[in-house]
Amino acid sequence: MSTTTSYMGLTLKNPIIVGASTYTNSAAKIKKLEQHGAAAVVLKSLYEEQILADSGKLVEQDDMYFWYPEAIDVVNGFSKEDGVNEYINLIKDAKSAVDIPVIASINCRTPKEWPAFAQKIESAGADGLELNIYISPADIDAGRSVEETYLAIVKEVRANTKLPVAVKIGYYFSDVARFVTQLSSTGIEGLVLFNRYFRPDIDIEALRLANDNIFSAPQEITLSLRWVALLADKVECDLVGATGVHDYAGVVKELLAGARAVQVVSALYKSGPQAIEKMVSGLETWMQKHNYDSIDAFRGMVAKGPENTAAFERVQFMRRTTGQYQEAPR
Ligand SMILES: Cc1cc2nc3c(=O)[nH]c(=O)nc-3n(C[C@H](O)[C@H](O)[C@H](O)COP(=O)(O)O)c2cc1C
């Protein structure tokens, strides 16, 4: 029996990738993740702003910073302390510490200047590059649509590196299916569905914002499952299921929906890196029980067929169906 899978041209010994986070910001921590069974890691992200500040290009940016001048100081300080050279060293150190693939990550929002940096990431030895594109849906840009900016970023990065490129996106698009398929045909190798954005809450006694909603809950997996299931057959790149994968059952669900791999972060903060071992052994036990000798033997199985597709497409709860959805008690 084999739990091997492939993602963006990389062979993974199992489908569990540790997502970008503070768990992946040092070679020592990454080594530990490998020892606990991680098949690959995405490094903590470097910010586009750090790259621009480091190259003195920040001030040339358009009025993005004009209304928020403090950002320049913050980003400049940030860059000096924790800048691009450190990031390059992190890639090199991680690569010499572990045998699993190391994917670099950039948080970005514009296609300007910074994509040339992708060459340095490639030269440092990274196995791939993940772009965490984070354009707030609250941003109102008269120039171009949010979707156009995504496509422009990918085009620039693609022109600057031969590394396999993945894009991690959120779900705030007016037409998710159309945009994801369009993005998948730009020459990228992977798409991560979905990122989990910051979710501010309100403390009604202290009358202020509450920021303690940092980690996902297992129930959040359903959003990713739906879109992986609906799109896995339609996209031209590999899909990774992310957000809300907390245990082996979550891994199996994403694979049954059609994902090539999963990314996990919150599960590690909640249960430690041992969570990875449990996911791998749970997956193996489940495969044995169901007589599958490879992931390809069952990948995408529950996404197929008109009935399942219809269920994933359904948005409204139906009052009286075949009994699958019960009417709420009055
Ligand atoms: C503490 C913390 C730090 C994170 N840092 C990054 C980051 O640097 N870059 C990034 O793309 N995503 C980052 N993320 C998002 C995660 O990679 C992931 O997409 C998200 O947590 C959803 O997955 P999960 O449900 O397994 O936590 C971070 C998440 C957490 C909780």
Side-chain angles (χ1 to χ4, degrees), residues 162-207:
K162 292 191 170 52
L163 280 178
V165 173
V167 182
K168 177 158 94 168
I169 61 171
Y171 40 84
Y172 294 122
F173 298 100
S174 60
D175 189 348
V176 178
R178 197 180 60 81
F179 180 60
V180 169
T181 34
Q182 187 182 11
L183 197 53
S184 80
S185 64
T186 54
I188 58 172
E189 283 77 11
L191 265 166
V192 183
L193 307 181
F194 292 104
N195 199 355
R196 183 177 191 272
Y197 293 129
F198 179 59
R199 299 174 187 210
D201 198 354
I202 292 177
D203 180 330
I204 60 168
E205 296 308 325
L207 304 180

mmCIF file of all heavy atoms in Angstrom, residues 162-207:
data_model
loop_
_atom_site.group_PDB
_atom_site.id
_atom_site.type_symbol
_atom_site.label_atom_id
_atom_site.label_comp_id
_atom_site.label_asym_id
_atom_site.label_seq_id
_atom_site.Cartn_x
_atom_site.Cartn_y
_atom_site.Cartn_z
ATOM 1 N N LYS A 162 11.133 29.320 -13.286
ATOM 2 C CA LYS A 162 10.706 28.019 -13.820
ATOM 3 C C LYS A 162 10.196 27.113 -12.708
ATOM 4 O O LYS A 162 9.787 25.983 -12.951
ATOM 5 C CB LYS A 162 11.881 27.334 -14.526
ATOM 6 C CG LYS A 162 12.311 28.046 -15.785
ATOM 7 C CD LYS A 162 13.292 27.179 -16.577
ATOM 8 C CE LYS A 162 13.559 27.741 -17.964
ATOM 9 N NZ LYS A 162 13.965 29.158 -17.953
ATOM 10 N N LEU A 163 10.268 27.619 -11.480
ATOM 11 C CA LEU A 163 9.772 26.810 -10.353
ATOM 12 C C LEU A 163 8.291 26.520 -10.538
ATOM 13 O O LEU A 163 7.561 27.348 -11.074
ATOM 14 C CB LEU A 163 9.906 27.611 -9.042
ATOM 15 C CG LEU A 163 11.248 27.678 -8.357
ATOM 16 C CD1 LEU A 163 11.132 28.555 -7.107
ATOM 17 C CD2 LEU A 163 11.753 26.294 -7.988
ATOM 18 N N PRO A 164 7.835 25.357 -10.043
ATOM 19 C CA PRO A 164 6.386 25.166 -10.012
ATOM 20 C C PRO A 164 5.744 26.226 -9.116
ATOM 21 O O PRO A 164 6.265 26.517 -8.040
ATOM 22 C CB PRO A 164 6.209 23.757 -9.441
ATOM 23 C CG PRO A 164 7.525 23.299 -8.959
ATOM 24 C CD PRO A 164 8.588 24.187 -9.534
ATOM 25 N N VAL A 165 4.658 26.801 -9.591
ATOM 26 C CA VAL A 165 4.005 27.889 -8.859
ATOM 27 C C VAL A 165 2.591 27.455 -8.455
ATOM 28 O O VAL A 165 1.856 26.882 -9.262
ATOM 29 C CB VAL A 165 3.923 29.165 -9.731
ATOM 30 C CG1 VAL A 165 3.090 30.246 -9.053
ATOM 31 C CG2 VAL A 165 5.329 29.693 -10.038
ATOM 32 N N ALA A 166 2.248 27.726 -7.202
ATOM 33 C CA ALA A 166 0.874 27.499 -6.731
ATOM 34 C C ALA A 166 0.305 28.826 -6.252
ATOM 35 O O ALA A 166 1.056 29.715 -5.839
ATOM 36 C CB ALA A 166 0.861 26.486 -5.588
ATOM 37 N N VAL A 167 -1.002 28.949 -6.325
ATOM 38 C CA VAL A 167 -1.644 30.154 -5.807
ATOM 39 C C VAL A 167 -2.626 29.734 -4.718
ATOM 40 O O VAL A 167 -3.435 28.831 -4.919
ATOM 41 C CB VAL A 167 -2.394 30.926 -6.925
ATOM 42 C CG1 VAL A 167 -3.015 32.195 -6.355
ATOM 43 C CG2 VAL A 167 -1.443 31.274 -8.061
ATOM 44 N N LYS A 168 -2.495 30.387 -3.576
ATOM 45 C CA LYS A 168 -3.448 30.128 -2.478
ATOM 46 C C LYS A 168 -4.454 31.265 -2.482
ATOM 47 O O LYS A 168 -4.072 32.435 -2.380
ATOM 48 C CB LYS A 168 -2.696 30.067 -1.151
ATOM 49 C CG LYS A 168 -3.598 29.867 0.027
ATOM 50 C CD LYS A 168 -2.851 29.274 1.221
ATOM 51 C CE LYS A 168 -2.353 30.308 2.173
ATOM 52 N NZ LYS A 168 -1.898 29.738 3.447
ATOM 53 N N ILE A 169 -5.710 30.912 -2.622
ATOM 54 C CA ILE A 169 -6.716 31.969 -2.751
ATOM 55 C C ILE A 169 -7.765 31.857 -1.648
ATOM 56 O O ILE A 169 -7.927 30.821 -1.018
ATOM 57 C CB ILE A 169 -7.426 31.932 -4.137
ATOM 58 C CG1 ILE A 169 -8.165 30.596 -4.330
ATOM 59 C CG2 ILE A 169 -6.447 32.169 -5.254
ATOM 60 C CD1 ILE A 169 -9.063 30.586 -5.555
ATOM 61 N N GLY A 170 -8.509 32.924 -1.498
ATOM 62 C CA GLY A 170 -9.692 32.903 -0.643
ATOM 63 C C GLY A 170 -10.904 32.606 -1.520
ATOM 64 O O GLY A 170 -10.762 32.177 -2.662
ATOM 65 N N TYR A 171 -12.083 32.840 -0.982
ATOM 66 C CA TYR A 171 -13.283 32.462 -1.731
ATOM 67 C C TYR A 171 -14.167 33.655 -2.053
ATOM 68 O O TYR A 171 -15.315 33.500 -2.439
ATOM 69 C CB TYR A 171 -14.075 31.407 -0.950
ATOM 70 C CG TYR A 171 -14.106 31.689 0.528
ATOM 71 C CD1 TYR A 171 -15.037 32.565 1.060
ATOM 72 C CD2 TYR A 171 -13.156 31.118 1.365
ATOM 73 C CE1 TYR A 171 -15.025 32.858 2.413
ATOM 74 C CE2 TYR A 171 -13.138 31.404 2.720
ATOM 75 C CZ TYR A 171 -14.074 32.276 3.232
ATOM 76 O OH TYR A 171 -14.049 32.571 4.573
ATOM 77 N N TYR A 172 -13.607 34.851 -1.900
ATOM 78 C CA TYR A 172 -14.415 36.046 -2.179
ATOM 79 C C TYR A 172 -14.354 36.418 -3.652
ATOM 80 O O TYR A 172 -13.727 37.410 -4.031
ATOM 81 C CB TYR A 172 -13.907 37.234 -1.361
ATOM 82 C CG TYR A 172 -14.085 37.105 0.133
ATOM 83 C CD1 TYR A 172 -12.991 37.178 0.987
ATOM 84 C CD2 TYR A 172 -15.349 36.945 0.686
ATOM 85 C CE1 TYR A 172 -13.142 37.082 2.352
ATOM 86 C CE2 TYR A 172 -15.507 36.851 2.061
ATOM 87 C CZ TYR A 172 -14.400 36.928 2.889
ATOM 88 O OH TYR A 172 -14.550 36.843 4.250
ATOM 89 N N PHE A 173 -14.949 35.603 -4.477
ATOM 90 C CA PHE A 173 -15.034 35.935 -5.900
ATOM 91 C C PHE A 173 -16.492 35.852 -6.315
ATOM 92 O O PHE A 173 -17.247 35.021 -5.797
ATOM 93 C CB PHE A 173 -14.191 34.973 -6.746
ATOM 94 C CG PHE A 173 -12.733 35.028 -6.407
ATOM 95 C CD1 PHE A 173 -12.160 34.074 -5.579
ATOM 96 C CD2 PHE A 173 -11.931 36.054 -6.886
ATOM 97 C CE1 PHE A 173 -10.817 34.137 -5.238
ATOM 98 C CE2 PHE A 173 -10.589 36.125 -6.547
ATOM 99 C CZ PHE A 173 -10.034 35.172 -5.726
ATOM 100 N N SER A 174 -16.855 36.676 -7.277
ATOM 101 C CA SER A 174 -18.267 36.670 -7.663
ATOM 102 C C SER A 174 -18.613 35.397 -8.427
ATOM 103 O O SER A 174 -19.751 34.961 -8.442
ATOM 104 C CB SER A 174 -18.590 37.903 -8.498
ATOM 105 O OG SER A 174 -17.794 37.902 -9.647
ATOM 106 N N ASP A 175 -17.610 34.802 -9.071
ATOM 107 C CA ASP A 175 -17.875 33.619 -9.886
ATOM 108 C C ASP A 175 -16.702 32.653 -9.667
ATOM 109 O O ASP A 175 -15.785 32.564 -10.474
ATOM 110 C CB ASP A 175 -17.975 34.066 -11.350
ATOM 111 C CG ASP A 175 -18.463 32.968 -12.259
ATOM 112 O OD1 ASP A 175 -18.501 31.807 -11.812
ATOM 113 O OD2 ASP A 175 -18.799 33.276 -13.408
ATOM 114 N N VAL A 176 -16.740 31.968 -8.526
ATOM 115 C CA VAL A 176 -15.585 31.162 -8.091
ATOM 116 C C VAL A 176 -15.181 30.140 -9.156
ATOM 117 O O VAL A 176 -14.009 30.027 -9.514
ATOM 118 C CB VAL A 176 -15.893 30.433 -6.757
ATOM 119 C CG1 VAL A 176 -14.731 29.561 -6.328
ATOM 120 C CG2 VAL A 176 -16.215 31.437 -5.671
ATOM 121 N N ALA A 177 -16.161 29.408 -9.685
ATOM 122 C CA ALA A 177 -15.841 28.317 -10.620
ATOM 123 C C ALA A 177 -15.136 28.854 -11.866
ATOM 124 O O ALA A 177 -14.115 28.315 -12.303
ATOM 125 C CB ALA A 177 -17.108 27.572 -11.005
ATOM 126 N N ARG A 178 -15.678 29.915 -12.413
ATOM 127 C CA ARG A 178 -15.090 30.449 -13.644
ATOM 128 C C ARG A 178 -13.691 31.000 -13.372
ATOM 129 O O ARG A 178 -12.744 30.753 -14.110
ATOM 130 C CB ARG A 178 -15.984 31.543 -14.240
ATOM 131 C CG ARG A 178 -15.672 31.865 -15.696
ATOM 132 C CD ARG A 178 -16.594 32.952 -16.211
ATOM 133 N NE ARG A 178 -16.463 34.183 -15.457
ATOM 134 C CZ ARG A 178 -15.512 35.082 -15.643
ATOM 135 N NH1 ARG A 178 -14.609 34.912 -16.582
ATOM 136 N NH2 ARG A 178 -15.449 36.165 -14.898
ATOM 137 N N PHE A 179 -13.540 31.726 -12.259
ATOM 138 C CA PHE A 179 -12.245 32.334 -11.994
ATOM 139 C C PHE A 179 -11.184 31.279 -11.676
ATOM 140 O O PHE A 179 -10.049 31.366 -12.157
ATOM 141 C CB PHE A 179 -12.345 33.367 -10.865
ATOM 142 C CG PHE A 179 -11.011 34.003 -10.589
ATOM 143 C CD1 PHE A 179 -10.349 34.707 -11.589
ATOM 144 C CD2 PHE A 179 -10.394 33.858 -9.363
ATOM 145 C CE1 PHE A 179 -9.093 35.260 -11.362
ATOM 146 C CE2 PHE A 179 -9.142 34.410 -9.132
ATOM 147 C CZ PHE A 179 -8.496 35.114 -10.133
ATOM 148 N N VAL A 180 -11.543 30.276 -10.886
ATOM 149 C CA VAL A 180 -10.556 29.236 -10.541
ATOM 150 C C VAL A 180 -10.113 28.498 -11.804
ATOM 151 O O VAL A 180 -8.920 28.238 -11.992
ATOM 152 C CB VAL A 180 -11.127 28.264 -9.473
ATOM 153 C CG1 VAL A 180 -10.240 27.041 -9.318
ATOM 154 C CG2 VAL A 180 -11.251 28.980 -8.135
ATOM 155 N N THR A 181 -11.039 28.196 -12.697
ATOM 156 C CA THR A 181 -10.620 27.493 -13.926
ATOM 157 C C THR A 181 -9.742 28.413 -14.790
ATOM 158 O O THR A 181 -8.749 27.970 -15.360
ATOM 159 C CB THR A 181 -11.825 26.962 -14.750
ATOM 160 O OG1 THR A 181 -12.905 27.856 -14.633
ATOM 161 C CG2 THR A 181 -12.277 25.615 -14.309
ATOM 162 N N GLN A 182 -10.090 29.674 -14.836
ATOM 163 C CA GLN A 182 -9.274 30.628 -15.607
ATOM 164 C C GLN A 182 -7.855 30.715 -15.027
ATOM 165 O O GLN A 182 -6.861 30.644 -15.751
ATOM 166 C CB GLN A 182 -9.953 31.999 -15.580
ATOM 167 C CG GLN A 182 -9.285 33.027 -16.473
ATOM 168 C CD GLN A 182 -9.969 34.393 -16.369
ATOM 169 O OE1 GLN A 182 -10.792 34.627 -15.496
ATOM 170 N NE2 GLN A 182 -9.606 35.289 -17.271
ATOM 171 N N LEU A 183 -7.787 30.827 -13.705
ATOM 172 C CA LEU A 183 -6.483 30.918 -13.043
ATOM 173 C C LEU A 183 -5.662 29.641 -13.283
ATOM 174 O O LEU A 183 -4.448 29.685 -13.477
ATOM 175 C CB LEU A 183 -6.731 31.128 -11.542
ATOM 176 C CG LEU A 183 -5.616 31.629 -10.640
ATOM 177 C CD1 LEU A 183 -5.007 32.921 -11.180
ATOM 178 C CD2 LEU A 183 -6.150 31.865 -9.226
ATOM 179 N N SER A 184 -6.336 28.506 -13.302
ATOM 180 C CA SER A 184 -5.631 27.228 -13.461
ATOM 181 C C SER A 184 -5.019 27.081 -14.849
ATOM 182 O O SER A 184 -4.154 26.244 -15.060
ATOM 183 C CB SER A 184 -6.573 26.054 -13.189
ATOM 184 O OG SER A 184 -7.391 25.788 -14.309
ATOM 185 N N SER A 185 -5.496 27.897 -15.792
ATOM 186 C CA SER A 185 -4.978 27.752 -17.158
ATOM 187 C C SER A 185 -3.897 28.782 -17.480
ATOM 188 O O SER A 185 -3.573 29.018 -18.634
ATOM 189 C CB SER A 185 -6.126 27.853 -18.162
ATOM 190 O OG SER A 185 -6.677 29.142 -18.082
ATOM 191 N N THR A 186 -3.331 29.404 -16.439
ATOM 192 C CA THR A 186 -2.299 30.419 -16.679
ATOM 193 C C THR A 186 -0.891 29.826 -16.626
ATOM 194 O O THR A 186 0.093 30.558 -16.643
ATOM 195 C CB THR A 186 -2.382 31.532 -15.598
ATOM 196 O OG1 THR A 186 -2.318 30.887 -14.318
ATOM 197 C CG2 THR A 186 -3.642 32.350 -15.721
ATOM 198 N N GLY A 187 -0.790 28.502 -16.491
ATOM 199 C CA GLY A 187 0.538 27.891 -16.432
ATOM 200 C C GLY A 187 0.988 27.612 -15.014
ATOM 201 O O GLY A 187 2.117 27.161 -14.803
ATOM 202 N N ILE A 188 0.118 27.857 -14.034
ATOM 203 C CA ILE A 188 0.494 27.494 -12.665
ATOM 204 C C ILE A 188 0.315 25.984 -12.493
ATOM 205 O O ILE A 188 -0.418 25.343 -13.252
ATOM 206 C CB ILE A 188 -0.344 28.253 -11.592
ATOM 207 C CG1 ILE A 188 -1.855 27.999 -11.771
ATOM 208 C CG2 ILE A 188 -0.032 29.724 -11.635
ATOM 209 C CD1 ILE A 188 -2.696 28.558 -10.639
ATOM 210 N N GLU A 189 1.004 25.455 -11.489
ATOM 211 C CA GLU A 189 0.947 24.002 -11.268
ATOM 212 C C GLU A 189 -0.022 23.619 -10.156
ATOM 213 O O GLU A 189 -0.430 22.465 -10.073
ATOM 214 C CB GLU A 189 2.343 23.459 -10.931
ATOM 215 C CG GLU A 189 3.265 23.316 -12.119
ATOM 216 C CD GLU A 189 3.862 24.623 -12.617
ATOM 217 O OE1 GLU A 189 3.740 25.649 -11.915
ATOM 218 O OE2 GLU A 189 4.435 24.626 -13.721
ATOM 219 N N GLY A 190 -0.344 24.569 -9.264
ATOM 220 C CA GLY A 190 -1.201 24.201 -8.142
ATOM 221 C C GLY A 190 -2.094 25.333 -7.674
ATOM 222 O O GLY A 190 -1.788 26.516 -7.876
ATOM 223 N N LEU A 191 -3.213 24.947 -7.077
ATOM 224 C CA LEU A 191 -4.112 25.921 -6.460
ATOM 225 C C LEU A 191 -4.486 25.408 -5.078
ATOM 226 O O LEU A 191 -4.819 24.229 -4.923
ATOM 227 C CB LEU A 191 -5.389 26.048 -7.287
ATOM 228 C CG LEU A 191 -5.436 27.177 -8.302
ATOM 229 C CD1 LEU A 191 -6.589 26.950 -9.261
ATOM 230 C CD2 LEU A 191 -5.588 28.527 -7.612
ATOM 231 N N VAL A 192 -4.412 26.274 -4.092
ATOM 232 C CA VAL A 192 -4.760 25.894 -2.733
ATOM 233 C C VAL A 192 -6.114 26.527 -2.409
ATOM 234 O O VAL A 192 -6.253 27.745 -2.382
ATOM 235 C CB VAL A 192 -3.683 26.380 -1.733
ATOM 236 C CG1 VAL A 192 -4.013 25.913 -0.322
ATOM 237 C CG2 VAL A 192 -2.304 25.884 -2.153
ATOM 238 N N LEU A 193 -7.102 25.663 -2.175
ATOM 239 C CA LEU A 193 -8.464 26.118 -1.883
ATOM 240 C C LEU A 193 -8.800 25.728 -0.442
ATOM 241 O O LEU A 193 -8.981 24.557 -0.173
ATOM 242 C CB LEU A 193 -9.485 25.449 -2.813
ATOM 243 C CG LEU A 193 -9.247 25.532 -4.328
ATOM 244 C CD1 LEU A 193 -10.379 24.838 -5.052
ATOM 245 C CD2 LEU A 193 -9.072 26.946 -4.806
ATOM 246 N N PHE A 194 -8.864 26.586 0.507
ATOM 247 C CA PHE A 194 -8.757 28.031 0.426
ATOM 248 C C PHE A 194 -7.868 28.526 1.552
ATOM 249 O O PHE A 194 -7.683 27.836 2.551
ATOM 250 C CB PHE A 194 -10.135 28.675 0.618
ATOM 251 C CG PHE A 194 -11.093 28.419 -0.494
ATOM 252 C CD1 PHE A 194 -12.111 27.510 -0.329
ATOM 253 C CD2 PHE A 194 -10.973 29.095 -1.704
ATOM 254 C CE1 PHE A 194 -13.018 27.264 -1.354
ATOM 255 C CE2 PHE A 194 -11.880 28.859 -2.721
ATOM 256 C CZ PHE A 194 -12.902 27.934 -2.553
ATOM 257 N N ASN A 195 -7.451 29.762 1.442
ATOM 258 C CA ASN A 195 -6.814 30.438 2.566
ATOM 259 C C ASN A 195 -7.887 30.768 3.603
ATOM 260 O O ASN A 195 -9.070 30.810 3.286
ATOM 261 C CB ASN A 195 -6.165 31.737 2.074
ATOM 262 C CG ASN A 195 -5.120 32.259 3.036
ATOM 263 O OD1 ASN A 195 -4.919 31.716 4.123
ATOM 264 N ND2 ASN A 195 -4.446 33.318 2.646
ATOM 265 N N ARG A 196 -7.474 30.971 4.818
ATOM 266 C CA ARG A 196 -8.428 31.397 5.853
ATOM 267 C C ARG A 196 -8.018 32.784 6.299
ATOM 268 O O ARG A 196 -6.996 32.964 6.935
ATOM 269 C CB ARG A 196 -8.387 30.434 7.037
ATOM 270 C CG ARG A 196 -9.397 30.754 8.111
ATOM 271 C CD ARG A 196 -9.326 29.695 9.213
ATOM 272 N NE ARG A 196 -10.440 29.825 10.134
ATOM 273 C CZ ARG A 196 -10.418 30.603 11.202
ATOM 274 N NH1 ARG A 196 -9.353 31.324 11.481
ATOM 275 N NH2 ARG A 196 -11.467 30.657 12.003
ATOM 276 N N TYR A 197 -8.848 33.744 5.958
ATOM 277 C CA TYR A 197 -8.478 35.114 6.284
ATOM 278 C C TYR A 197 -8.805 35.437 7.739
ATOM 279 O O TYR A 197 -9.612 34.771 8.383
ATOM 280 C CB TYR A 197 -9.206 36.092 5.354
ATOM 281 C CG TYR A 197 -8.739 35.985 3.918
ATOM 282 C CD1 TYR A 197 -9.648 35.830 2.887
ATOM 283 C CD2 TYR A 197 -7.387 36.022 3.606
ATOM 284 C CE1 TYR A 197 -9.217 35.738 1.568
ATOM 285 C CE2 TYR A 197 -6.957 35.924 2.299
ATOM 286 C CZ TYR A 197 -7.872 35.775 1.282
ATOM 287 O OH TYR A 197 -7.441 35.673 0.000
ATOM 288 N N PHE A 198 -8.164 36.486 8.192
ATOM 289 C CA PHE A 198 -8.397 37.021 9.528
ATOM 290 C C PHE A 198 -9.898 37.315 9.711
ATOM 291 O O PHE A 198 -10.532 37.870 8.807
ATOM 292 C CB PHE A 198 -7.557 38.295 9.663
ATOM 293 C CG PHE A 198 -7.696 38.983 10.970
ATOM 294 C CD1 PHE A 198 -7.385 38.314 12.139
ATOM 295 C CD2 PHE A 198 -8.129 40.296 11.029
ATOM 296 C CE1 PHE A 198 -7.516 38.957 13.365
ATOM 297 C CE2 PHE A 198 -8.254 40.940 12.237
ATOM 298 C CZ PHE A 198 -7.955 40.268 13.409
ATOM 299 N N ARG A 199 -10.435 36.905 10.842
ATOM 300 C CA ARG A 199 -11.882 37.068 11.058
ATOM 301 C C ARG A 199 -12.145 37.829 12.352
ATOM 302 O O ARG A 199 -12.344 37.213 13.407
ATOM 303 C CB ARG A 199 -12.541 35.697 11.174
ATOM 304 C CG ARG A 199 -12.388 34.870 9.942
ATOM 305 C CD ARG A 199 -12.923 33.474 10.181
ATOM 306 N NE ARG A 199 -12.615 32.665 9.018
ATOM 307 C CZ ARG A 199 -13.353 31.653 8.612
ATOM 308 N NH1 ARG A 199 -14.427 31.315 9.244
ATOM 309 N NH2 ARG A 199 -13.004 30.968 7.548
ATOM 310 N N PRO A 200 -12.138 39.144 12.306
ATOM 311 C CA PRO A 200 -12.364 39.898 13.539
ATOM 312 C C PRO A 200 -13.778 39.670 14.082
ATOM 313 O O PRO A 200 -14.732 39.556 13.321
ATOM 314 C CB PRO A 200 -12.160 41.350 13.124
ATOM 315 C CG PRO A 200 -12.282 41.361 11.650
ATOM 316 C CD PRO A 200 -11.949 40.008 11.145
ATOM 317 N N ASP A 201 -13.864 39.601 15.400
ATOM 318 C CA ASP A 201 -15.153 39.443 16.077
ATOM 319 C C ASP A 201 -15.346 40.682 16.962
ATOM 320 O O ASP A 201 -14.448 41.526 17.042
ATOM 321 C CB ASP A 201 -15.076 38.156 16.919
ATOM 322 C CG ASP A 201 -16.445 37.640 17.308
ATOM 323 O OD1 ASP A 201 -17.446 38.327 17.029
ATOM 324 O OD2 ASP A 201 -16.500 36.560 17.927
ATOM 325 N N ILE A 202 -16.480 40.768 17.648
ATOM 326 C CA ILE A 202 -16.715 41.920 18.522
ATOM 327 C C ILE A 202 -17.002 41.435 19.945
ATOM 328 O O ILE A 202 -17.837 40.556 20.153
ATOM 329 C CB ILE A 202 -17.885 42.785 17.986
ATOM 330 C CG1 ILE A 202 -17.459 43.446 16.663
ATOM 331 C CG2 ILE A 202 -18.308 43.837 19.018
ATOM 332 C CD1 ILE A 202 -18.530 44.273 15.994
ATOM 333 N N ASP A 203 -16.262 41.997 20.901
ATOM 334 C CA ASP A 203 -16.486 41.702 22.311
ATOM 335 C C ASP A 203 -17.542 42.693 22.802
ATOM 336 O O ASP A 203 -17.287 43.895 22.890
ATOM 337 C CB ASP A 203 -15.155 41.875 23.071
ATOM 338 C CG ASP A 203 -15.284 41.587 24.554
ATOM 339 O OD1 ASP A 203 -16.376 41.814 25.112
ATOM 340 O OD2 ASP A 203 -14.279 41.144 25.145
ATOM 341 N N ILE A 204 -18.758 42.182 23.112
ATOM 342 C CA ILE A 204 -19.870 43.105 23.403
ATOM 343 C C ILE A 204 -19.810 43.683 24.815
ATOM 344 O O ILE A 204 -20.526 44.614 25.124
ATOM 345 C CB ILE A 204 -21.246 42.437 23.163
ATOM 346 C CG1 ILE A 204 -21.429 41.208 24.053
ATOM 347 C CG2 ILE A 204 -21.442 42.086 21.686
ATOM 348 C CD1 ILE A 204 -22.858 40.693 24.058
ATOM 349 N N GLU A 205 -18.966 43.140 25.695
ATOM 350 C CA GLU A 205 -18.826 43.739 27.025
ATOM 351 C C GLU A 205 -17.720 44.793 27.013
ATOM 352 O O GLU A 205 -17.897 45.899 27.498
ATOM 353 C CB GLU A 205 -18.507 42.672 28.086
ATOM 354 C CG GLU A 205 -19.623 41.655 28.273
ATOM 355 C CD GLU A 205 -20.989 42.318 28.533
ATOM 356 O OE1 GLU A 205 -21.029 43.369 29.197
ATOM 357 O OE2 GLU A 205 -22.013 41.780 28.055
ATOM 358 N N ALA A 206 -16.605 44.458 26.419
ATOM 359 C CA ALA A 206 -15.490 45.418 26.374
ATOM 360 C C ALA A 206 -15.693 46.452 25.253
ATOM 361 O O ALA A 206 -14.968 47.435 25.176
ATOM 362 C CB ALA A 206 -14.184 44.676 26.162
ATOM 363 N N LEU A 207 -16.678 46.220 24.404
ATOM 364 C CA LEU A 207 -16.983 47.129 23.291
ATOM 365 C C LEU A 207 -15.763 47.376 22.402
ATOM 366 O O LEU A 207 -15.378 48.509 22.125
ATOM 367 C CB LEU A 207 -17.523 48.469 23.796
ATOM 368 C CG LEU A 207 -18.752 48.389 24.698
ATOM 369 C CD1 LEU A 207 -19.198 49.765 25.125
ATOM 370 C CD2 LEU A 207 -19.901 47.678 23.983
#
